[in-house]
Amino acid sequence: MLFKVFPAAELIRLFELLAADRIVGPVKKGEDRYGRSLYDFDVVHDFSDLHLDYEQTIHSAKNYFLPYREDLCTFTFQDDGSGDGGDWHKEVDYGVYAPLVLFGLHPCDINALNKLDKVLLGGRYPNPFYGEKRANMFIVGHSCSPQPFCFCKSMGTDSAIRGFDLFLTRMDDLYFAEILSPRAFHLLEQIDCHDPDSSEHRHYMDIMEARESLFIAHVDTSDLTKILDLEFQASVWEEWGQKCLSCGTCAQVCPTCYCYGVEERVDMDFTRAYKEKQLYSCNLLDFASVAGGHNFRPESHTRLKYRYYHKHRGFVEAFEESLCVGCGRCGQSCLARITVPEVIASVRASKE
Amino acid sequence: MPLSKNSQSLPAVFGSGVLRITICSLLLMIDIESYTLLLNQVLEMTEQKAFLGVPLTRPKVAFFELSSCEGCQLQLLNNEATLLDFLSLVEIVRFREGMKEAGDDYEIAFVEGSITRMDEEELLRVIRSQARIVVALGSCACFGGVNQLKNRFNDLEWVKKEVYGSFPIETQEVKPISAVIKVDLEIYGCPIKKEEVERIVTALVLGEQVHHPQYPVCMECKARENICLFDLGEPCLGPVTRAGCAAWCPSNRLGCWGCRGPAPEANLAQLQIIMEERGVSRERMIDRLECFGGFAGFVAEVKGKKGESI
């Protein structure tokens, strides 16, 4: 990896060099009732709207690589009236019209993309809708200050070692830049930057060390796959299930939840039809409903349990890592205050 | 001309001199030449429609209104971009908001409004005997709607006197239409969401099953990346209310009032805890849950526990 250092005032030049493409980054959306700032990812038109000091966004940047709703294909029918139904055409649009710059992703969100890549691109049937978007993406990571709800350290996703073009760490008046792509290297050539000297190396190491002490929330993942298997019947699941609203909020804000449903839609004039994909959640009542009407998971606690099993057990067995990146968004957004650290701790403490 | 795409499929109902109000508003958008062209095409139109070579029949549809504001029916006329397509799907024989004629030969009856008088019950029975499919259109028809708010007063005679004074009027306890006749399909919302009705009617014409979302409004609200109204200190029934409205109110920073009724398996016990934890009084929560009648069962349960009445 290559390292560079540049004055913080140069960041606006970096932003402007990238601004020919669409830039999406953390912007302030409002304040909550206690006056705390609320952030989300959105298209950034002006550098001053970019809030790189954001603690965490409410939603992940998922909408830009796994949209909540997306047409998978469109059918056009041309009925010539001959009675055989006429001709039809199928169009597929991956929805990529311009390169995208994700500016200011924290390590958890970069690692989320790395995990999604494994599932959606690494398998036998890569997902072209996701792949096209990923191929046209330039990622500028940004260091974060761990929040009380962050448990990325437990999930091994507190730092990103790949999956970005450029990663920036703020050091007072300087930025410490990690470079992973030729494009990022050439970008930095166009601004005022230099190779870090030994004191700047030291400074960077100090900052990283100070960050370590800020982690409060932890999830004990040792032997977790086995413990989850052993505690499959534990009554704590029912307790959490009683709280669960089955509303899908956790999955909607999650940077790695990729499950979806597909529905067909026909225009009212019958000349066009669509297959529409909608991101779904395993907590929703009909997630495991099948043709014929049977629902394999009619109880909320079963659905909630399987969400945890997918993230912390099934995925680990398949990919040797958890699907959870510890960003804490699900717990922050859950009105019933169901948080991953508490659920896992309660299962571990179960004595059944 | 914005309407050219639709002109091939104009329904007879359009050409027969009805829907004048709508034509007037359409006229504002298109020039006279286009309008003449449109009318000529109406006269030449072919009625037979097909999808994938399978001929489709346009069902005869009637709209009825019981006690209501007729706002749901008005919603259907409210989107001129798709109105002609919608009208081409069905043959409308009765639609007070849009035409003078009132036919009695229909297969699908859309009934808006709730029951507040005996004659409405009788009308419903006639509709049921005539229609193959009876659709409850909007929250009044589905749950009683805003009208049913009067049911929470124990003394309905007192309510009548407060509202109408000495004016002689018949009014009884408000009921949803399912209390009197079998309802085949419910379309929720106050008002209904036009896009949803269009999707449902398309499905009916194609003979497909009609699905309502099984999840609460939160799912759609999150997909619109709204700030949670609870974070802003505003109570919201989104966590328990059936989705399908694309989080209409929360997206405009108004907490959900539950007009679409409870989502299946809605976790109302947890809603109480959520409201309590955030300092929303029980009375305020019940006010909200009572507004459209969809949560009547739960409200009765909560009140029953405390043994209270208003």
Side-chain angles (χ1 to χ4, degrees), chain A residues 50-67:
Chain A
L50 189 69
H51 282 264
L52 292 172
D53 55 347
Y54 74 108
E55 291 94 22
Q56 181 64 290
T57 54
I58 303 169
H59 301 80
S60 73
K62 181 155 76 173
N63 203 21
Y64 298 94
F65 41 86
L66 279 177

Side-chain angles (χ1 to χ4, degrees), chain B:
Chain B
M1 191 183 83
L3 292 165
S4 59
K5 168 176 146 321
N6 307 304
S7 53
Q8 287 299 326
S9 50
L10 283 173
V13 69
F14 194 83
S16 64
V18 295
L19 289 160
R20 289 188 190 90
I21 302 166
T22 314
I23 290 174
C24 287
S25 60
L26 286 171
L27 266 174
L28 297 174
M29 290 159 36
I30 59 176
D31 55 50
I32 295 297
E33 195 188 351
S34 311
Y35 178 57
T36 318
L37 196 76
L38 196 75
L39 277 185
N40 285 339
Q41 282 168 336
V42 167
L43 297 172
E44 289 167 19
M45 65 167 289
T46 54
E47 284 212 17
Q48 184 62 56
K49 297 185 85 58
F51 182 63
L52 302 175
V54 179
L56 300 171
T57 48
R58 288 169 54 203
K60 286 182 181 158
V61 168
F63 288 87
F64 296 91
E65 50 286 322
L66 309 181
S67 297
S68 62
C69 68
E70 292 183 38
C72 287
Q73 289 179 65
L74 206 55
Q75 270 297 99
L76 294 174
L77 294 173
N78 201 14
N79 187 354
E80 282 149 0
T82 58
L83 179 64
L84 297 181
D85 277 335
F86 180 73
L87 294 173
S88 75
L89 271 180
V90 290
E91 186 183 335
I92 298 180
V93 301
R94 182 195 282 258
F95 189 13
R96 197 172 85 147
E97 289 286 338
M99 64 197 275
K100 278 183 177 171
E101 291 82 344
D104 285 318
D105 176 22
Y106 47 86
E107 296 157 86
I108 304 177
F110 286 88
V111 182
E112 181 178 354
S114 55
I115 302 160
T116 59
R117 294 193 312 268
M118 278 310 287
D119 64 301
E120 291 176 328
E121 293 193 17
E122 282 151 31
L123 172 65
L124 269 179
R125 290 194 188 95
V126 173
I127 293 169
R128 182 70 267 185
S129 65
Q130 171 68 27
R132 193 163 53 85
I133 298 171
V134 174
V135 183
L137 186 69
S139 297
C140 291
C142 294
F143 320 117
V146 176
N147 300 338
Q148 56 76 47
L149 274 174
K150 80 169 177 187
N151 292 357
R152 51 179 191 170
F153 298 99
N154 290 333
D155 185 357
L156 285 185
E157 277 307 311
W158 176 81
V159 174
K160 192 172 154 184
K161 197 155 168 269
E162 281 294 304
V163 178
Y164 298 106
S166 58
F167 191 78
I169 196 160
E170 186 209 336
T171 175
Q172 60 187 33
E173 189 177 36
V174 175
K175 286 185 272 192
I177 64 170
S178 60
V180 172
I181 57 163
K182 177 176 166 279
V183 172
D184 302 294
L185 185 64
E186 292 183 317
I187 298 181
Y188 310 103
C190 181
I192 51 151
K193 188 96 180 151
K194 185 179 159 70
E195 294 77 9
E196 193 181 33
V197 180
E198 291 174 348
R199 183 177 57 78
I200 287 171
V201 173
T202 308
L204 287 176
V205 173
L206 288 170
E208 287 176 348
Q209 268 195 315
V210 175
H211 297 284
H212 283 296
Q214 300 287 294
Y215 43 80
V217 173
C218 287
M219 183 74 183
E220 293 176 339
C221 197
K222 285 286 170 294
R224 294 186 70 163
E225 302 203 333
N226 295 324
I227 295 173
C228 181
L229 286 162
F230 281 104
D231 283 342
L232 301 176
E234 167 90 3
C236 181
L237 297 186
V240 292
T241 302
R242 186 192 290 274
C245 57
W248 204 347
C249 297
S251 300
N252 291 290
R253 295 229 173 152
L254 177 73
C256 175
W257 280 73
C259 74
R260 302 171 65 85
E265 307 280 323
N267 191 344
L268 286 149
Q270 188 62 35
L271 179 81
Q272 276 182 287
I273 298 171
I274 290 169
M275 294 285 191
E276 222 167 86
E277 283 177 348
R278 285 154 181 85
V280 179
S281 71
R282 200 165 147 277
E283 287 68 30
R284 203 169 165 207
M285 180 189 77
I286 289 176
D287 261 0
R288 228 169 237 241
L289 287 165
E290 276 186 327
C291 188
F292 292 95
F295 294 91
F298 176 71
V299 171
E301 198 182 300
V302 174
K303 281 185 174 176
K305 264 185 210 159
K306 296 267 174 180
E308 69 184 76
S309 61
I310 298 173

Side-chain angles (χ1 to χ4, degrees), chain A residues 15-23 98-99 101 183:
Chain A
F15 179 89
E16 278 161 6
L17 286 167
L18 287 164
D21 296 334
R22 192 166 67 132
I23 296 180
V101 178
R183 188 178 169 203

Side-chain angles (χ1 to χ4, degrees), chain A residues 145-173:
Chain A
S145 177
Q147 299 300 305
F149 53 82
C150 296
F151 56 97
C152 53
K153 182 127 190 74
S154 303
M155 309 317 294
T157 50
D158 53 320
S159 66
I161 52 169
R162 59 191 171 80
F164 56 84
D165 293 270
L166 187 63
F167 194 94
L168 307 175
T169 303
R170 186 74 188 247
M171 307 195 302
D172 301 335
D173 296 339

